[in-house]
Amino acid sequence: MLRLSLLLLVGPLDALRVAVTGAGGQTGQHAFRKLLALPEFEPVGIVRSEESKAALVKSGVPADAVTVADVTDEAAIAAALAGCDALIIGTSAKPAPSGETDESTGRPIFGFPNGQPEAVDWLGQKSQIDGAKAAGAIHVVLCSSMGGTDPGN
């Protein structure tokens, strides 16, 4: 589906260079691995840390296909997107249990240890889109899986 969608958007080209942010996460990694398997794409996986890059490389992803850049750092993300024809945004602030419990409800208290939603989902996505525009990218695809397994969502 992703392959067909991108081909319909831009037409047949030689190795469309597609940046995938959040390539170490659940949604971004799925898109990144799909593109790696298709000869008409030259994917660039963008991850936030060297640890995420190392995990992808250990799983068989070529090291030169992965770039480290924090989406909340405008200069770093702009540099990582240089030369890309398209961008798939697969980043999101991810909640995690803080280890504390709300005494009134008994439920765990969640926080955002790797960045607040405003910094990652708003400012980070803005930086990504601005960087893609500056790089001359012709398409941006925003992916989200938040609440995707909740039938009532």
Side-chain angles (χ1 to χ4, degrees), residues 145-153:
S145 60
M146 183 64 102
T149 58
D150 180 359
N153 191 342

Side-chain angles (χ1 to χ4, degrees), residues 45-51 53 66-70 76 80:
I46 300 176
V47 297
R48 184 174 18 130
S49 68
E50 289 292 339
E51 292 80 16
K53 179 177 180 173
V66 185
T67 299
V68 177
D70 189 325

